[in-house]
Amino acid sequence: MPTENPYLLFDVPGGQLAFGDGDLDIWAEHLAWCYRMMGIPDGSTIAVQDYGSSPISFLGSSLLMPGLGRGVAERFDGRFICLDASAERVTLTPALLAQLSVDALVIREDVLELLSAELRKKGFADLAQRTMKTIVVFGDEPPALNPVRLQPSRHFMHVESALLLAPQCVKCDCFHLREGFYEVDGRMIRNLRLAAPPYYLSRGELFRPSHCAAGIHDWCIGWSPRGRGI
């Protein structure tokens, strides 16, 4: 499903993603839906520790991305703080969290251990757990359980090459594939709203619609306690 006259092109592992006029707003609206599914209310201050090339970052506000009409901040009537995921920047995050009131920190799984160590070093780990939600973003491989790390409130599945965003629901703990946005055929998941290759779910269990009242028409992805590690 190629995009005619693409507005933006992104290089991702295995190829390119193309976005036409208005596509970024479709993706930003879906990202805002994901945050609400994970229990983040409107008016929140959301900080994201990720690279600027990630949609988790650049969809945060129209101030960050040309061609984006309304990002997450505008849709939430809240604030968005973009934090780079380089090691140097992660070590500065505890000082920022000590000065700003952050409702939710969304962080890449591969820098969570570094941030956890920095928070413990500065004596801020317990306060961070009490004052904000921590949402850990992973790809198609669930993160391993590590008791010494900052324990997340939720996890967030993000497979960029397939434009797949699946939030961990506050009600059922599974990862919702939003009705009207994704189609499930066997273990193949297709994006119905944006041009992207299909994604084959190699692990995990698929639950049919009606599994969860929070999204009665959504398919859901779940992992067994032994296999998911989260």
Side-chain angles (χ1 to χ4, degrees):
M1 188 171 61
T3 298
E4 295 184 6
N5 303 316
Y7 178 80
L8 289 169
L9 288 172
F10 287 86
D11 289 322
V12 296
Q16 281 188 329
L17 293 175
F19 299 92
D21 187 29
D23 283 352
L24 291 178
D25 275 271
I26 293 174
W27 212 9
E29 187 276 330
H30 180 54
L31 179 56
W33 176 88
C34 290
Y35 285 145
R36 293 187 178 103
M37 183 65 71
M38 291 185 287
I40 302 177
D42 285 12
S44 295
T45 296
I46 301 173
V48 168
Q49 190 107 55
D50 203 339
Y51 297 109
S53 59
S54 167
I56 305 295
S57 291
F58 67 67
L59 293 176
S61 172
S62 58
L63 298 176
L64 298 172
M65 188 65 188
L68 176 61
R70 297 172 64 226
V72 170
E74 291 80 19
R75 295 172 188 275
F76 262 69
D77 193 24
R79 295 192 300 170
F80 184 85
I81 303 169
C82 190
L83 307 171
D84 189 73
S86 63
E88 296 81 4
R89 296 294 183 182
V90 173
T91 59
L92 299 176
T93 299
L96 182 143
L97 295 176
Q99 298 176 51
L100 296 177
S101 178
V102 172
D103 298 301
L105 173 66
V106 183
I107 183 169
R108 291 174 61 94
E109 194 272 334
D110 56 4
V111 296
L112 178 63
E113 194 158 342
L114 175 59
L115 177 61
S116 298
E118 290 297 318
L119 288 170
R120 290 197 305 274
K121 187 188 304 181
K122 295 175 172 58
F124 191 58
D126 290 341
L127 179 61
Q129 291 275 203
R130 291 197 304 268
T131 59
M132 69 182 185
K133 296 178 184 293
T134 305
I135 294 173
V136 175
V137 181
F138 68 95
D140 56 359
E141 187 72 19
L145 179 64
N146 185 341
V148 304
R149 297 191 307 188
L150 187 68
Q151 292 306 303
S153 306
R154 297 284 98 187
H155 287 83
F156 193 7
M157 185 177 181
H158 175 214
V159 182
E160 189 168 0
S161 61
L163 294 181
L164 190 151
L165 293 171
Q168 187 182 23
C169 174
V170 294
K171 291 187 177 296
C172 71
D173 279 342
C174 290
F175 295 79
H176 279 244
L177 297 169
R178 186 182 182 185
E179 182 219 1
F181 217 96
Y182 296 105
E183 176 185 66
V184 177
D185 182 8
R187 297 187 68 83
M188 197 70 71
I189 302 170
R190 296 181 177 85
N191 192 314
L192 299 175
R193 301 291 304 280
L194 298 168
Y199 171 70
Y200 181 80
L201 183 70
S202 59
R203 294 183 57 200
E205 184 177 0
L206 279 166
F207 297 99
R208 291 182 173 276
S210 77
H211 168 75
C212 175
I216 196 70
H217 299 296
D218 301 340
W219 283 80
C220 292
I221 302 171
W223 282 275
S224 67
R226 179 179 299 177
R228 66 184 183 179
I230 56 177

